[in-house]
Amino acid sequence: MRRKLIGVAVALAMTATAMPGPAQAATPKEASSTAAPNTDPATVAAAIKAAYDAYKSFLGGGSSAAATAQIIAAIKTAERDIINHIDAIAAADARACARSAVLNFPDFDNLTPDNKQYFALSATSCITQIDSLLSTVTSGAAKDQLGFSVNAVGPIALMARSKAGLHNDTLVPLLREANQKVSTGLTPRCVNLYDADSHLRRWFCTAYNGYRMDAATLPDAQSLAMVDTSWDIAKDTLTQLASM
């Protein structure tokens, strides 16, 4: 009974202090982005991290052929799930360009030099489009799918530009900006409350999708609440991009 009373108190406190105003209906542009795709987010997260790590190994002196093969292999391990996240994007142009980058990159080395540059520039333009959408969409679900998608295309664009003889000194800051928008836009609502059972204060966090978790520290509570979203991917990617 005591735990139940605490749970009621937590729910009331979070409603009073941390919940936003009345929910608004998604705009037509965002409406088809609100349904969560049938995916394994952990597999996608691991694939994206491996792809960025492969590009970083190239920057550290590794061969471009090895890095390209590693990026392709990483994306392939979660390709179906990545495509499902991309398909959840409402904006047709962004959805199409992200799909194209993921599905066509394995054939990059078979392209002519001119087509390699075209592919690299198209992938860059795709990231620009997604970054722009991140500034305009308001629903958490839409931001979440854009977060998965921008980081699926990110390492592909970086590698493609390098192999096509293009610089990445403007793309890396753009990826940082996009991931910062994901991190900020999806940050869960949290409140610090006293737990009568442990006689300690705990953090209680609620994600955009209503998932709630608690922990002794704020970072732990946030990560637990945001499990299976692109929020953790954005945070990890920002760390990876900081050294590029």
Side-chain angles (χ1 to χ4, degrees):
M1 176 63 72
R2 191 179 191 184
R3 174 59 66 185
K4 289 181 179 178
L5 291 174
I6 292 173
V8 171
V10 169
L12 291 174
M14 293 196 74
T15 299
T17 63
M19 296 293 284
Q24 297 180 351
T27 64
K29 182 174 286 188
E30 296 178 49
S32 63
S33 300
T34 56
N38 182 22
T39 64
D40 177 7
T43 299
V44 175
I48 288 172
K49 183 180 186 306
Y52 275 116
D53 284 343
Y55 181 71
K56 288 182 67 176
S57 72
F58 162 70
L59 289 182
S63 75
S64 63
T68 300
Q70 289 165 10
I71 291 172
I72 292 171
I75 297 299
K76 281 290 185 183
T77 63
E79 183 176 277
R80 186 65 261 165
D81 286 345
I82 288 171
I83 293 299
N84 284 342
H85 280 297
I86 291 171
D87 285 347
I89 299 175
D93 289 348
R95 187 169 65 246
C97 71
R99 253 182 165 270
S100 177
V102 170
L103 295 176
N104 291 323
F105 185 62
D107 291 319
F108 181 83
D109 285 338
N110 298 326
L111 301 176
T112 64
D114 284 349
N115 282 332
K116 285 180 179 179
Q117 288 199 342
Y118 177 78
F119 179 98
L121 293 172
S122 295
T124 304
S125 177
C126 190
I127 291 172
T128 303
Q129 287 186 54
I130 295 175
D131 176 66
S132 179
L133 286 171
L134 283 166
S135 297
T136 58
V137 299
T138 57
S139 80
K143 290 180 187 292
D144 196 9
Q145 303 318 319
L146 291 170
F148 282 112
S149 300
V150 74
N151 285 310
V153 180
I156 289 173
L158 289 167
M159 197 70 240
R161 288 179 64 90
S162 292
K163 297 189 75 169
L166 303 175
H167 296 294
N168 282 322
D169 52 351
T170 56
L171 178 55
V172 170
L174 179 62
L175 286 169
R176 288 176 186 151
E177 177 184 328
N179 277 284
Q180 189 59 59
K181 289 176 182 176
V182 175
S183 178
T184 301
L186 293 183
T187 297
R189 304 180 304 276
C190 299
V191 61
N192 189 230
L193 298 173
Y194 177 74
D195 181 359
D197 281 357
S198 66
H199 304 291
L200 297 171
R201 298 187 71 85
R202 292 181 67 81
W203 284 96
F204 295 81
C205 294
T206 304
Y208 78 86
N209 55 14
Y211 190 68
R212 292 180 178 178
M213 291 298 291
D214 65 278
T217 68
L218 177 59
D220 285 345
Q222 288 177 322
S223 291
L224 289 170
M226 298 306 294
V227 67
D228 291 344
T229 71
S230 62
W231 186 76
D232 267 334
I233 293 176
K235 287 182 61 184
D236 290 343
T237 300
L238 283 169
T239 300
Q240 290 176 297
L241 292 171
S243 59
M244 290 187 189

